[in-house]
Amino acid sequence: MPLTPAGISFGPLLVGFALNTILYGGLVTSALIYFSSFKSDGRWIRLLVVTLLILETTNVILEFVYLNDTLVIHFGDQSVLSRANWVFSLLPGITGIVTTLVQLFFAWRIRVLTSRVWLFGIIAVLASAAFFCGIGTTIAINMVPIFTQFHRFEVVFVIGLASSVVDNLLITGLLVHSLRRHKTGFMDTDDIIKKIIRVTLQTGLLTAIWTLIDLAVYIALTDGLHLVFNQSLAKFYTISFMSTLVARPRDHPYTDFTVVNGPQLERRDGHNPLEYRDRTSDLVFDAVSLKKFETINGVTDNRVVA
């Protein structure tokens, strides 16, 4: 039995919307923890968090509006099922903006760690490609709204996803390499660096793999199955960004966090300002905190001290 237009596009859209909504709930929780516990962060970082949260909220609302209009209000209308409207066209543009903002943030972290502007430039160029391809896809959908004709601008879509995959892998590799070079030979400091590397790999590679799956499914299959992965793509980027922020030691305890992870008692041991004990949650320091610590304490090389 041949698939109908609803089965080709809207089945994957519904699954993608459900997954996107679940991830949005986790994102809101992360945002609540961040604003409750990290009140000393710079204004530009807090503004970036707010911007991403607004974009992700808009993304979920637009998906709901489009599905409700197509599957409920115009139920059974084949002409509506076969066409995308302006609401649907905004989704790839939002994904492109979110992708670019998150990748530029990680590019900034790499610049802080390595002090190499040219690395920041390479990542920024790839991030810009994702941005322009996302905006270009939005424009193309308005010009060619028939789902069966989307192949006419597939090059733009493929370039955007491919640049994002390369950028994600480059960011993850550079962060891990830079952090490895910052090992000092001191057990406490090296243990902190290992924790940073572990979280970097977990969040960076997960986003890269999800984007790669979206690209591979889009190229390999002619149906709309890739929409399952594409609709939630922006959430993976924002969650990766938020996990970097909320994994740091909190300057203000989040009162409801004990419901999830138990007591969050903190105690400083010895002279090392980066060593915390008696915490049930895994503590990870971000790259910027490590850089500041090394600057203050004069740690400039990675030699092993006997």
Side-chain angles (χ1 to χ4, degrees):
M1 181 178 179
L3 287 174
T4 64
I8 293 175
S9 299
F10 289 90
L13 271 175
L14 279 173
V15 176
F17 173 70
L19 178 60
N20 196 27
T21 306
I22 294 172
L23 293 174
Y24 178 73
L27 176 60
V28 171
T29 302
S30 297
L32 175 62
I33 295 174
Y34 173 77
F35 285 113
S36 300
S37 306
F38 298 92
K39 299 180 180 180
S40 62
D41 274 358
R43 182 177 300 178
W44 75 270
I45 295 182
R46 297 173 67 84
L47 180 61
L48 179 58
V49 173
V50 171
T51 301
L52 289 173
L53 189 60
I54 291 174
L55 289 171
E56 295 290 10
T57 302
T58 304
N59 175 266
V60 172
I61 293 175
L62 289 177
E63 285 188 12
F64 172 78
V65 170
Y66 177 68
L67 290 173
N68 180 71
D69 178 72
T70 306
L71 301 181
V72 178
I73 298 178
H74 294 94
F75 175 76
D77 190 336
Q78 293 294 318
S79 63
V80 174
L81 290 175
S82 62
R83 300 174 63 90
N85 58 20
W86 69 269
V87 175
F88 180 85
S89 71
L90 292 176
L91 298 177
I94 292 176
T95 300
I97 294 172
V98 170
T99 300
T100 302
L101 290 176
V102 172
Q103 289 179 341
L104 288 178
F105 170 78
F106 285 113
W108 170 75
R109 292 185 69 196
I110 290 174
R111 189 188 67 81
V112 171
L113 270 176
T114 64
S115 300
R116 295 177 181 176
V117 179
W118 64 272
L119 287 177
F120 176 87
I122 293 176
I123 297 173
V125 168
L126 292 172
S128 298
F131 170 77
F132 287 115
C133 287
I135 299 299
T137 302
T138 293
I139 297 173
I141 291 175
N142 281 284
M143 297 175 62
V144 187
I146 308 299
F147 282 116
T148 56
Q149 297 181 10
F150 276 11
H151 64 277
R152 294 170 58 181
F153 55 85
E154 67 179 3
V155 174
V156 177
F157 187 75
V158 169
I159 292 176
L161 287 179
S163 62
S164 295
V165 171
V166 174
D167 216 5
N168 289 334
L169 293 176
L170 181 61
I171 288 171
T172 303
L174 286 174
L175 283 175
V176 171
H177 177 69
S178 299
L179 290 169
R180 284 182 176 274
R181 293 183 60 186
H182 280 76
K183 288 187 177 182
T184 64
F186 293 99
M187 181 177 299
D188 292 335
T189 305
D190 287 353
D191 185 57
I192 293 169
I193 294 176
K194 290 178 182 178
K195 291 177 180 179
I196 302 173
I197 293 174
R198 183 168 66 248
V199 167
T200 300
L201 287 172
Q202 289 172 349
T203 57
L205 283 183
L206 177 61
T207 305
I209 291 172
W210 193 261
T211 309
L212 183 60
I213 292 175
D214 183 21
L215 176 61
V217 172
Y218 178 78
I219 294 175
L221 302 178
T222 57
D223 56 18
L225 185 61
H226 79 97
L227 293 171
V228 173
F229 306 96
N230 190 258
Q231 295 306 297
S232 57
L233 188 58
K235 296 295 182 298
F236 277 88
Y237 280 95
T238 308
I239 289 175
S240 175
F241 165 74
M242 291 302 302
S243 67
T244 301
L245 298 181
V246 302
R248 301 169 298 164
R250 298 170 178 82
D251 51 17
H252 293 277
Y254 177 56
T255 55
D256 293 334
F257 200 70
T258 54
V259 177
V260 180
N261 278 350
Q264 298 292 301
L265 301 178
E266 298 184 4
R267 177 169 59 87
R268 296 173 183 254
D269 293 324
H271 66 279
N272 189 347
L274 292 183
E275 183 178 356
Y276 284 71
R277 302 287 178 83
D278 297 324
R279 298 187 63 169
T280 56
S281 61
D282 195 20
L283 180 60
V284 180
F285 295 86
D286 65 356
V288 178
S289 298
L290 177 63
K291 191 72 173 181
K292 290 179 179 178
F293 169 72
E294 291 181 343
T295 302
I296 294 173
N297 290 273
V299 179
T300 59
D301 57 42
N302 59 352
R303 292 174 295 179
V304 177
V305 178

